[in-house]
Amino acid sequence: MNSSAKTLFRTLLAVAFLIVFNLGIMQPAQSRPFNNKTDTLHLLLIGNSFSQNASRYLPQLAEEGGHHLMIGRAELGGCSLQRHWELVKLAEANPNDPKAKPYHGKSLRMLLSERGWEIVTLQQYSMLSGDLESYLPYARKLYDFIKLLQPNAKIVFHQTWAYRSDSKEFGHIAPNLFAKSEKEMWKKSKAAYQAVAKELGVKIIPVGDAFHKVNSGPKAFRKDLKFDEAKVEYPILPNQSHSLNSGFYWDSNKKLSFDSHHANDAGCYLGALVWYTFLFDESPLKLKFVPKNIPAEFASYLRKTAKSTLK
């Protein structure tokens, strides 16, 4: 090799080293756990009431942990991946159509374009969560749309939870076929989330797994067999200890109501603990914030469950 060739080789080698070095130190924050406490984590939730439940106490936990968090919301009650995508198409066809801006007067394009989002979450409507067909092709279409507008965003799936064990119904596990139990709903929804996440190459926030850990563990909710809802009078309620779901409650008209789907304070707390651990890669055991209605012992158990779920 002559001197000029050697000089060129050394120059190329030096350039290559600088490129590799710069890539190493300049990699985007979303490729690492977001535990830089001097920066704000911008988090956009594309979901429904279940994402509202799971993130209800996340701001308090983030503040206690010393993290700056900004949450954006594209949430509609009972909204499926298909419905979110249909609203995208509506807005793309006619941006001025009021129906195309359902997220407090904004479309998904408008929300995605407001700022740089480090993390964007997706989830399926819980009633369809165990039916893999219901995710297709809408998860991919939403993923591609997000990446088009936010190429540096990290997209993750929020795994929703199964309904309470005494629910009168459970979610779909196939078209026109329903799960027969909390365990079957969890198992099928877990498999569906994992299959779609693998196809898209994204990670999962395993809230559904954390719920199932509690619901199948030593502190699982047990139905109060002495409670007769047909005969009970206000304000009597059954023993619902360790429930993660709303269950029985009296509404403002003193009418007995039942919600086996949505999370109660304990379920919202568990969901937020899982989100916190996932987002910031920090143990939830050090956190001291606890919502008012959760016994300290059960709160401690939920923190341990969140940690073990993400171990």
Side-chain angles (χ1 to χ4, degrees), residues 178-264:
F178 293 85
K180 296 181 176 62
S181 66
E182 178 272 337
K183 183 177 181 180
E184 185 178 21
M185 182 177 172
W186 161 75
K187 187 175 181 180
K188 293 293 186 179
S189 63
K190 177 184 176 76
Y193 274 112
Q194 287 182 331
V196 177
K198 182 178 180 181
E199 178 194 347
L200 299 178
V202 303
K203 293 184 177 181
I204 295 174
I205 305 174
V207 176
D209 287 351
F211 267 61
H212 184 69
K213 267 182 174 285
V214 174
N215 291 331
S216 59
K219 293 188 181 295
F221 162 80
R222 296 287 183 265
K223 183 178 180 179
D224 185 349
L225 299 177
K226 296 180 180 179
F227 181 75
D228 186 348
E229 60 182 290
K231 298 179 180 179
V232 71
E233 296 182 357
Y234 178 84
I236 302 300
L237 287 171
N239 181 354
Q240 301 183 101
S241 297
H242 299 160
S243 174
L244 299 175
N245 305 84
S246 297
F248 288 99
Y249 65 96
W250 295 96
D251 66 17
S252 58
N253 296 317
K254 298 184 180 180
K255 178 182 177 182
L256 185 64
S257 300
F258 180 63
D259 180 359
S260 61
H261 298 191
H262 293 93
N264 60 12

Coordinates of all heavy atoms in Angstrom, one line a residue, residues 178-264:
F178 N -66.9 -15.7 23.2 CA -66.5 -15.0 24.4 C -65.7 -15.9 25.3 O -65.9 -17.1 25.4 CB -67.7 -14.5 25.2 CG -68.5 -13.4 24.4 CD1 -69.5 -13.8 23.5 CD2 -68.2 -12.1 24.7 CE1 -70.2 -12.8 22.8 CE2 -68.9 -11.1 24.0 CZ -69.9 -11.4 23.1
A179 N -64.8 -15.3 26.1 CA -64.1 -16.0 27.1 C -65.1 -16.5 28.2 O -66.1 -15.8 28.4 CB -63.0 -15.2 27.7
K180 N -64.8 -17.5 28.9 CA -65.7 -18.1 29.9 C -65.2 -17.7 31.3 O -65.9 -18.0 32.3 CB -65.7 -19.6 29.8 CG -66.4 -20.1 28.5 CD -66.5 -21.6 28.4 CE -67.1 -22.1 27.2 NZ -66.4 -21.7 26.0
S181 N -64.0 -17.1 31.5 CA -63.5 -16.7 32.8 C -62.5 -15.6 32.7 O -62.0 -15.3 31.6 CB -62.9 -18.0 33.4 OG -61.7 -18.3 32.7
E182 N -62.2 -15.1 33.8 CA -61.1 -14.0 33.9 C -59.8 -14.6 33.4 O -59.1 -13.9 32.6 CB -61.0 -13.6 35.4 CG -59.9 -12.5 35.6 CD -58.5 -13.1 35.9 OE1 -58.4 -14.3 36.3 OE2 -57.5 -12.4 35.6
K183 N -59.5 -15.8 33.8 CA -58.2 -16.4 33.4 C -58.2 -16.6 31.9 O -57.1 -16.3 31.2 CB -58.1 -17.8 34.1 CG -56.7 -18.4 33.7 CD -56.5 -19.7 34.5 CE -55.2 -20.4 34.2 NZ -55.0 -21.7 34.9
E184 N -59.2 -17.1 31.3 CA -59.2 -17.3 29.8 C -59.1 -16.0 29.1 O -58.4 -15.9 28.1 CB -60.5 -18.1 29.3 CG -60.4 -18.4 27.9 CD -61.6 -19.2 27.4 OE1 -62.7 -19.2 28.1 OE2 -61.5 -19.9 26.3
M185 N -59.8 -15.0 29.6 CA -59.8 -13.6 28.9 C -58.3 -13.1 29.0 O -57.8 -12.5 28.0 CB -60.8 -12.7 29.6 CG -60.8 -11.3 28.9 SD -62.0 -10.2 29.7 CE -61.6 -8.6 28.8
W186 N -57.7 -13.2 30.2 CA -56.3 -12.7 30.3 C -55.4 -13.5 29.4 O -54.6 -12.9 28.7 CB -55.9 -12.9 31.8 CG -54.4 -12.9 31.9 CD1 -53.6 -11.8 31.8 CD2 -53.5 -14.0 32.1 NE1 -52.2 -12.2 31.9 CE2 -52.2 -13.5 32.1 CE3 -53.7 -15.4 32.2 CZ2 -51.1 -14.4 32.3 CZ3 -52.7 -16.2 32.4 CH2 -51.3 -15.7 32.4
K187 N -55.5 -14.8 29.4 CA -54.6 -15.7 28.6 C -54.7 -15.3 27.1 O -53.7 -15.2 26.4 CB -55.0 -17.1 28.8 CG -54.0 -18.1 28.2 CD -54.3 -19.5 28.6 CE -53.3 -20.5 28.0 NZ -53.7 -21.9 28.3
K188 N -56.0 -15.2 26.6 CA -56.1 -14.9 25.2 C -55.7 -13.5 24.8 O -55.1 -13.3 23.7 CB -57.6 -15.2 24.8 CG -58.1 -16.6 24.9 CD -57.4 -17.5 23.8 CE -57.9 -18.9 23.8 NZ -57.3 -19.7 22.7
S189 N -56.0 -12.5 25.7 CA -55.6 -11.2 25.4 C -54.1 -11.0 25.4 O -53.5 -10.3 24.6 CB -56.3 -10.2 26.3 OG -55.9 -10.4 27.7
K190 N -53.5 -11.7 26.4 CA -52.0 -11.7 26.5 C -51.4 -12.2 25.2 O -50.5 -11.6 24.6 CB -51.6 -12.5 27.6 CG -50.0 -12.6 27.8 CD -49.7 -13.6 28.9 CE -48.2 -13.8 29.1 NZ -47.5 -12.6 29.7
A191 N -51.9 -13.3 24.7 CA -51.4 -13.9 23.4 C -51.6 -13.0 22.3 O -50.7 -12.8 21.4 CB -52.1 -15.2 23.2
A192 N -52.8 -12.3 22.2 CA -53.0 -11.4 21.1 C -52.1 -10.2 21.1 O -51.5 -9.8 20.1 CB -54.5 -10.9 21.1
Y193 N -51.9 -9.6 22.3 CA -51.0 -8.4 22.5 C -49.6 -8.8 22.1 O -48.9 -8.1 21.4 CB -51.0 -7.9 23.9 CG -52.1 -6.9 24.2 CD1 -53.2 -7.2 25.0 CD2 -52.1 -5.6 23.6 CE1 -54.2 -6.3 25.2 CE2 -53.1 -4.7 23.8 CZ -54.1 -5.0 24.7 OH -55.1 -4.1 24.9
Q194 N -49.2 -10.0 22.5 CA -47.8 -10.4 22.2 C -47.6 -10.7 20.7 O -46.5 -10.3 20.2 CB -47.5 -11.7 23.0 CG -47.3 -11.5 24.5 CD -46.9 -12.7 25.2 OE1 -47.3 -13.8 24.8 NE2 -46.1 -12.6 26.3
A195 N -48.6 -11.2 20.1 CA -48.5 -11.5 18.6 C -48.4 -10.2 17.8 O -47.5 -10.1 16.9 CB -49.7 -12.3 18.2
V196 N -49.2 -9.2 18.2 CA -49.2 -8.0 17.4 C -47.9 -7.2 17.8 O -47.3 -6.6 16.9 CB -50.4 -7.1 17.7 CG1 -50.3 -5.8 17.0 CG2 -51.7 -7.9 17.3
A197 N -47.5 -7.2 19.0 CA -46.3 -6.5 19.4 C -45.0 -7.1 18.7 O -44.1 -6.4 18.3 CB -46.1 -6.6 20.9
K198 N -45.0 -8.4 18.6 CA -43.9 -9.1 17.9 C -43.9 -8.7 16.4 O -42.8 -8.4 15.9 CB -44.0 -10.6 18.0 CG -42.9 -11.4 17.4 CD -43.0 -12.9 17.6 CE -41.9 -13.6 17.0 NZ -42.0 -15.1 17.2
E199 N -45.0 -8.6 15.8 CA -45.1 -8.3 14.4 C -44.6 -6.8 14.2 O -43.9 -6.6 13.2 CB -46.5 -8.4 13.9 CG -46.7 -7.9 12.4 CD -48.2 -7.7 12.0 OE1 -49.1 -8.1 12.8 OE2 -48.4 -7.1 11.0
L200 N -44.9 -5.9 15.1 CA -44.6 -4.5 14.9 C -43.2 -4.2 15.5 O -42.7 -3.2 15.3 CB -45.6 -3.6 15.6 CG -47.0 -3.7 15.0 CD1 -48.0 -2.8 15.8 CD2 -47.0 -3.3 13.5
G201 N -42.7 -5.2 16.3 CA -41.4 -4.9 16.9 C -41.4 -3.9 18.1 O -40.5 -3.1 18.2
V202 N -42.5 -4.0 18.9 CA -42.6 -3.0 20.0 C -42.8 -3.8 21.3 O -43.0 -5.0 21.3 CB -43.9 -2.1 19.8 CG1 -43.8 -1.4 18.4 CG2 -45.2 -3.0 19.8
K203 N -42.6 -3.0 22.4 CA -42.7 -3.6 23.7 C -44.1 -3.4 24.3 O -44.9 -2.7 23.7 CB -41.6 -2.9 24.7 CG -40.2 -3.3 24.3 CD -39.2 -2.7 25.3 CE -37.8 -3.1 25.0 NZ -36.8 -2.6 26.0
I204 N -44.3 -4.1 25.4 CA -45.6 -4.1 26.0 C -45.5 -3.6 27.5 O -44.6 -4.0 28.2 CB -46.3 -5.5 26.0 CG1 -46.5 -6.0 24.6 CG2 -47.5 -5.6 26.8 CD1 -47.0 -7.4 24.5
I205 N -46.5 -2.7 27.9 CA -46.6 -2.4 29.3 C -47.6 -3.4 29.9 O -48.8 -3.3 29.6 CB -47.2 -1.0 29.4 CG1 -46.3 0.1 28.7 CG2 -47.2 -0.6 30.9 CD1 -46.9 1.5 28.7
P206 N -47.1 -4.3 30.7 CA -47.9 -5.5 31.1 C -48.8 -5.3 32.2 O -48.8 -6.1 33.2 CB -46.8 -6.5 31.4 CG -45.7 -5.7 32.0 CD -45.7 -4.4 31.2
V207 N -49.7 -4.4 32.1 CA -50.7 -4.1 33.2 C -51.6 -5.3 33.3 O -51.9 -5.7 34.5 CB -51.5 -2.8 32.9 CG1 -52.6 -2.6 33.9 CG2 -50.6 -1.6 32.9
G208 N -52.0 -5.9 32.2 CA -52.9 -7.1 32.3 C -52.3 -8.2 33.1 O -53.0 -8.9 33.8
D209 N -51.0 -8.4 32.9 CA -50.3 -9.5 33.6 C -50.3 -9.2 35.1 O -50.4 -10.1 35.9 CB -48.9 -9.6 33.1 CG -48.8 -10.3 31.7 OD1 -49.9 -10.8 31.2 OD2 -47.7 -10.3 31.1
A210 N -50.0 -7.9 35.4 CA -50.0 -7.5 36.9 C -51.4 -7.8 37.5 O -51.4 -8.3 38.6 CB -49.6 -6.1 37.0
F211 N -52.4 -7.4 36.8 CA -53.8 -7.7 37.3 C -54.0 -9.2 37.6 O -54.5 -9.6 38.6 CB -54.8 -7.2 36.4 CG -55.3 -5.8 36.6 CD1 -54.4 -4.7 36.6 CD2 -56.6 -5.5 36.9 CE1 -54.9 -3.4 36.8 CE2 -57.1 -4.2 37.1 CZ -56.2 -3.2 37.1
H212 N -53.6 -10.0 36.6 CA -53.7 -11.4 36.7 C -52.9 -12.0 37.9 O -53.3 -13.0 38.6 CB -53.4 -12.2 35.4 CG -53.7 -13.6 35.5 ND1 -55.0 -14.1 35.6 CD2 -52.8 -14.7 35.5 CE1 -54.9 -15.5 35.6 NE2 -53.6 -15.8 35.6
K213 N -51.7 -11.5 38.1 CA -50.9 -11.9 39.2 C -51.6 -11.7 40.5 O -51.6 -12.6 41.4 CB -49.6 -11.1 39.3 CG -48.4 -11.8 38.5 CD -47.2 -10.9 38.7 CE -46.0 -11.6 38.1 NZ -45.5 -12.7 38.9
V214 N -52.3 -10.6 40.7 CA -53.0 -10.3 41.9 C -54.3 -11.2 42.0 O -54.6 -11.9 43.0 CB -53.5 -8.9 42.0 CG1 -54.4 -8.6 43.2 CG2 -52.2 -8.0 42.1
N215 N -55.0 -11.3 40.8 CA -56.2 -12.1 40.8 C -56.1 -13.6 40.9 O -57.0 -14.3 41.2 CB -57.0 -11.8 39.5 CG -57.5 -10.3 39.5 OD1 -57.8 -9.8 40.5 ND2 -57.6 -9.8 38.3
S216 N -54.9 -14.1 40.8 CA -54.6 -15.5 40.9 C -53.7 -15.8 42.1 O -53.3 -17.0 42.2 CB -54.0 -16.1 39.6 OG -52.8 -15.4 39.3
G217 N -53.3 -14.8 42.9 CA -52.4 -15.0 43.9 C -53.1 -15.1 45.3 O -54.3 -15.2 45.4
P218 N -52.3 -15.0 46.4 CA -52.8 -15.2 47.7 C -53.8 -14.1 48.2 O -54.5 -14.3 49.1 CB -51.6 -15.3 48.6 CG -50.5 -14.5 47.8 CD -50.8 -14.8 46.4
K219 N -53.7 -13.0 47.5 CA -54.6 -11.8 47.9 C -55.7 -11.6 46.9 O -56.2 -10.5 46.7 CB -53.8 -10.6 48.2 CG -52.9 -10.7 49.4 CD -52.2 -9.3 49.7 CE -51.3 -9.4 50.9 NZ -52.0 -9.7 52.1
A220 N -56.0 -12.6 46.1 CA -57.0 -12.5 45.1 C -58.4 -12.1 45.6 O -58.8 -12.6 46.7 CB -57.1 -13.8 44.3
F221 N -59.2 -11.4 44.9 CA -60.6 -11.1 45.2 C -61.4 -12.4 45.2 O -61.2 -13.2 44.3 CB -61.1 -10.1 44.2 CG -62.6 -10.1 44.2 CD1 -63.3 -9.3 45.1 CD2 -63.4 -10.8 43.2 CE1 -64.7 -9.3 45.1 CE2 -64.8 -10.7 43.2 CZ -65.4 -10.0 44.2
R222 N -62.2 -12.5 46.2 CA -63.2 -13.6 46.3 C -64.6 -13.1 46.4 O -64.9 -12.2 47.2 CB -62.9 -14.5 47.5 CG -61.5 -15.2 47.4 CD -61.5 -16.3 46.4 NE -60.2 -17.0 46.4 CZ -59.2 -16.7 45.6 NH1 -59.3 -15.7 44.7 NH2 -58.0 -17.4 45.6
K223 N -65.5 -13.6 45.6 CA -66.9 -13.2 45.6 C -67.5 -13.4 46.9 O -67.3 -14.5 47.6 CB -67.7 -13.9 44.5 CG -69.1 -13.5 44.4 CD -69.8 -14.2 43.2 CE -71.2 -13.8 43.1 NZ -71.9 -14.5 42.0
D224 N -68.3 -12.4 47.4 CA -69.0 -12.6 48.7 C -70.3 -13.3 48.4 O -71.3 -12.8 47.9 CB -69.3 -11.2 49.2 CG -70.0 -11.2 50.6 OD1 -70.3 -12.3 51.0 OD2 -70.1 -10.1 51.2
L225 N -70.3 -14.6 48.8 CA -71.4 -15.5 48.5 C -72.6 -15.2 49.4 O -73.7 -15.7 49.1 CB -71.0 -16.9 48.7 CG -69.8 -17.4 47.8 CD1 -69.5 -18.9 48.2 CD2 -70.2 -17.3 46.4
K226 N -72.4 -14.4 50.4 CA -73.6 -14.0 51.3 C -74.4 -12.8 50.8 O -75.4 -12.5 51.3 CB -73.1 -13.7 52.7 CG -72.4 -14.9 53.4 CD -71.9 -14.6 54.8 CE -71.3 -15.7 55.5 NZ -70.8 -15.4 56.9
F227 N -73.8 -12.2 49.8 CA -74.4 -11.0 49.3 C -75.5 -11.3 48.2 O -75.2 -12.0 47.2 CB -73.4 -10.0 48.7 CG -73.9 -8.7 48.1 CD1 -74.2 -7.7 49.0 CD2 -74.0 -8.6 46.8 CE1 -74.7 -6.5 48.5 CE2 -74.5 -7.3 46.3 CZ -74.9 -6.3 47.1
D228 N -76.7 -10.9 48.4 CA -77.8 -11.1 47.5 C -78.2 -9.7 46.9 O -78.9 -9.0 47.5 CB -79.0 -11.8 48.2 CG -80.1 -12.1 47.2 OD1 -80.1 -11.7 46.0 OD2 -81.0 -12.9 47.6
E229 N -77.8 -9.4 45.7 CA -78.0 -8.1 45.1 C -79.5 -7.9 44.9 O -79.9 -6.7 44.8 CB -77.2 -8.0 43.8 CG -77.6 -9.0 42.7 CD -76.7 -8.8 41.5 OE1 -76.9 -7.8 40.8 OE2 -75.8 -9.6 41.3
A230 N -80.3 -8.9 44.8 CA -81.7 -8.7 44.5 C -82.5 -8.3 45.8 O -83.6 -7.7 45.7 CB -82.3 -10.0 44.0
K231 N -81.9 -8.5 47.0 CA -82.6 -8.2 48.2 C -81.9 -7.1 49.0 O -82.5 -6.6 50.0 CB -82.7 -9.4 49.1 CG -83.5 -10.6 48.4 CD -83.5 -11.8 49.4 CE -84.3 -12.9 48.7 NZ -84.3 -14.1 49.6
V232 N -80.7 -6.7 48.6 CA -80.0 -5.8 49.5 C -80.6 -4.4 49.4 O -81.2 -4.0 48.4 CB -78.5 -5.7 49.0 CG1 -78.4 -5.0 47.6 CG2 -77.6 -5.0 50.0
E233 N -80.4 -3.6 50.5 CA -80.9 -2.3 50.6 C -79.7 -1.3 50.8 O -78.7 -1.7 51.4 CB -81.9 -2.1 51.7 CG -83.2 -2.9 51.5 CD -84.2 -2.7 52.6 OE1 -83.9 -2.0 53.6 OE2 -85.3 -3.3 52.5
Y234 N -79.9 -0.1 50.3 CA -78.9 1.0 50.5 C -78.6 1.2 52.0 O -79.5 1.2 52.8 CB -79.5 2.3 49.9 CG -78.5 3.5 50.0 CD1 -77.5 3.7 49.1 CD2 -78.7 4.4 51.0 CE1 -76.7 4.8 49.2 CE2 -77.8 5.5 51.2 CZ -76.8 5.7 50.2 OH -76.0 6.7 50.4
P235 N -77.4 1.3 52.4 CA -76.1 1.4 51.6 C -75.3 0.2 51.6 O -74.1 0.2 51.5 CB -75.4 2.6 52.3 CG -75.8 2.4 53.7 CD -77.1 1.8 53.8
I236 N -75.9 -1.0 51.9 CA -75.1 -2.2 52.1 C -74.4 -2.6 50.8 O -75.0 -2.6 49.7 CB -76.1 -3.4 52.5 CG1 -76.8 -3.0 53.8 CG2 -75.3 -4.7 52.7 CD1 -75.8 -2.7 55.0
L237 N -73.2 -3.0 50.9 CA -72.4 -3.5 49.8 C -71.7 -4.8 50.2 O -71.5 -5.1 51.4 CB -71.3 -2.5 49.4 CG -71.8 -1.3 48.6 CD1 -70.6 -0.3 48.5 CD2 -72.3 -1.6 47.3
P238 N -71.3 -5.7 49.3 CA -70.6 -6.9 49.6 C -69.2 -6.7 50.1 O -68.6 -5.5 49.9 CB -70.7 -7.7 48.3 CG -70.7 -6.7 47.3 CD -71.5 -5.5 47.8
N239 N -68.6 -7.7 50.6 CA -67.1 -7.6 50.9 C -66.4 -7.7 49.6 O -66.5 -8.7 48.9 CB -66.7 -8.8 51.8 CG -65.3 -8.7 52.2 OD1 -64.5 -7.9 51.6 ND2 -64.8 -9.6 53.0
Q240 N -65.7 -6.6 49.2 CA -64.9 -6.6 47.9 C -63.5 -6.4 48.1 O -62.8 -5.8 47.3 CB -65.5 -5.5 47.0 CG -67.0 -5.7 46.7 CD -67.6 -4.7 45.7 OE1 -67.7 -5.0 44.5 NE2 -67.9 -3.5 46.2
S241 N -63.0 -6.9 49.2 CA -61.5 -6.8 49.6 C -60.7 -7.3 48.5 O -60.9 -8.3 47.9 CB -61.2 -7.5 50.9 OG -62.0 -7.0 52.0
H242 N -59.6 -6.5 48.2 CA -58.6 -6.9 47.2 C -59.1 -6.9 45.8 O -58.4 -7.4 44.9 CB -58.0 -8.2 47.5 CG -57.3 -8.3 48.8 ND1 -57.0 -9.5 49.5 CD2 -56.8 -7.3 49.7 CE1 -56.4 -9.2 50.7 NE2 -56.3 -7.9 50.8
S243 N -60.3 -6.3 45.6 CA -60.8 -6.2 44.2 C -60.0 -5.1 43.5 O -59.6 -4.0 44.1 CB -62.3 -5.8 44.2 OG -62.7 -5.5 42.8
L244 N -59.7 -5.3 42.2 CA -59.0 -4.3 41.4 C -60.0 -3.6 40.5 O -59.6 -2.7 39.7 CB -57.9 -5.0 40.6 CG -56.8 -5.6 41.4 CD1 -55.8 -6.4 40.4 CD2 -56.0 -4.6 42.2
N245 N -61.2 -4.1 40.5 CA -62.3 -3.5 39.6 C -63.3 -2.8 40.4 O -63.5 -3.1 41.6 CB -62.9 -4.6 38.8 CG -61.8 -5.4 38.0 OD1 -61.2 -6.3 38.5 ND2 -61.6 -5.0 36.7
S246 N -64.1 -2.0 39.8 CA -65.1 -1.2 40.5 C -66.1 -2.0 41.3 O -66.4 -1.8 42.4 CB -65.8 -0.3 39.6 OG -64.9 0.7 39.0
G247 N -66.6 -3.1 40.6 CA -67.6 -4.0 41.3 C -68.9 -3.3 41.6 O -69.4 -2.4 40.9
F248 N -69.5 -3.7 42.8 CA -70.8 -3.1 43.2 C -70.6 -1.7 43.8 O -69.7 -1.5 44.6 CB -71.5 -4.0 44.2 CG -72.0 -5.3 43.6 CD1 -71.3 -6.5 43.7 CD2 -73.2 -5.3 42.9 CE1 -71.8 -7.7 43.1 CE2 -73.7 -6.5 42.3 CZ -73.0 -7.7 42.4
Y249 N -71.5 -0.8 43.5 CA -71.5 0.5 44.1 C -72.9 1.1 44.0 O -73.7 0.6 43.2 CB -70.5 1.4 43.5 CG -70.8 1.7 42.0 CD1 -71.5 2.9 41.6 CD2 -70.4 0.9 41.0 CE1 -71.7 3.2 40.3 CE2 -70.7 1.1 39.7 CZ -71.3 2.3 39.3 OH -71.6 2.6 38.0
W250 N -73.2 2.1 44.8 CA -74.5 2.8 44.8 C -74.3 4.1 44.0 O -73.4 4.9 44.3 CB -75.0 3.1 46.2 CG -75.4 1.8 46.9 CD1 -74.6 1.2 47.8 CD2 -76.6 1.1 46.9 NE1 -75.2 0.1 48.3 CE2 -76.5 0.0 47.8 CE3 -77.8 1.2 46.2 CZ2 -77.5 -0.9 48.0 CZ3 -78.8 0.3 46.4 CH2 -78.6 -0.8 47.3
D251 N -75.1 4.3 43.0 CA -75.0 5.5 42.2 C -75.7 6.7 42.9 O -76.2 6.6 44.0 CB -75.5 5.3 40.8 CG -77.0 5.1 40.7 OD1 -77.7 5.4 41.7 OD2 -77.5 4.6 39.7
S252 N -75.7 7.8 42.2 CA -76.2 9.1 42.9 C -77.7 9.0 43.2 O -78.2 9.7 44.0 CB -75.9 10.3 42.0 OG -76.5 10.1 40.7
N253 N -78.4 8.1 42.5 CA -79.8 7.9 42.7 C -80.1 6.7 43.7 O -81.2 6.2 43.8 CB -80.5 7.6 41.4 CG -80.5 8.8 40.5 OD1 -80.6 9.9 40.9 ND2 -80.2 8.5 39.2
K254 N -79.0 6.3 44.4 CA -79.1 5.2 45.4 C -79.6 3.9 44.7 O -80.3 3.1 45.3 CB -80.0 5.5 46.5 CG -79.5 6.7 47.4 CD -80.4 7.0 48.6 CE -79.9 8.1 49.4 NZ -80.7 8.4 50.6
K255 N -79.2 3.7 43.4 CA -79.4 2.5 42.7 C -78.2 1.7 42.7 O -77.1 2.1 42.4 CB -79.9 2.8 41.3 CG -80.1 1.6 40.4 CD -80.5 2.0 39.0 CE -80.7 0.8 38.1 NZ -81.0 1.1 36.7
L256 N -78.3 0.4 43.0 CA -77.2 -0.5 43.0 C -76.7 -0.8 41.6 O -77.4 -1.2 40.7 CB -77.5 -1.9 43.7 CG -76.4 -2.9 43.9 CD1 -75.4 -2.3 44.9 CD2 -76.9 -4.2 44.4
S257 N -75.4 -0.5 41.4 CA -74.8 -0.7 40.0 C -73.6 -1.7 40.1 O -73.1 -1.9 41.3 CB -74.3 0.6 39.5 OG -75.4 1.5 39.3
F258 N -73.2 -2.2 39.0 CA -72.1 -3.2 39.0 C -71.2 -2.9 37.8 O -71.7 -2.8 36.6 CB -72.7 -4.6 38.9 CG -71.6 -5.7 38.9 CD1 -70.8 -5.8 40.0 CD2 -71.5 -6.5 37.8 CE1 -69.8 -6.9 40.0 CE2 -70.6 -7.5 37.8 CZ -69.7 -7.7 38.9
D259 N -69.9 -2.8 38.0 CA -69.0 -2.6 36.9 C -67.8 -3.5 37.2 O -66.9 -3.2 38.0 CB -68.5 -1.1 36.9 CG -67.5 -0.8 35.8 OD1 -67.1 -1.8 35.1 OD2 -67.1 0.3 35.7
S260 N -67.8 -4.6 36.4 CA -66.7 -5.6 36.6 C -65.5 -5.3 35.6 O -64.5 -6.0 35.6 CB -67.2 -7.0 36.3 OG -67.7 -7.1 35.0
H261 N -65.6 -4.2 34.8 CA -64.6 -3.9 33.8 C -63.6 -2.9 34.2 O -62.4 -3.2 34.2 CB -65.3 -3.4 32.5 CG -66.3 -4.4 31.9 ND1 -66.8 -4.2 30.7 CD2 -66.8 -5.5 32.4 CE1 -67.6 -5.2 30.4 NE2 -67.6 -6.0 31.4
H262 N -64.0 -1.8 34.7 CA -63.1 -0.7 35.0 C -62.4 -0.9 36.3 O -62.8 -1.6 37.2 CB -63.8 0.6 34.9 CG -64.3 1.0 33.6 ND1 -65.6 0.7 33.2 CD2 -63.7 1.7 32.6 CE1 -65.8 1.2 31.9 NE2 -64.6 1.7 31.5
A263 N -61.2 -0.2 36.4 CA -60.4 -0.4 37.6 C -60.9 0.6 38.7 O -61.4 1.7 38.4 CB -59.0 0.0 37.3
N264 N -60.9 0.1 39.9 CA -61.1 1.0 41.1 C -59.8 1.6 41.5 O -58.8 1.6 40.7 CB -61.8 0.1 42.2 CG -60.8 -1.0 42.7 OD1 -59.7 -1.0 42.4 ND2 -61.4 -1.9 43.5

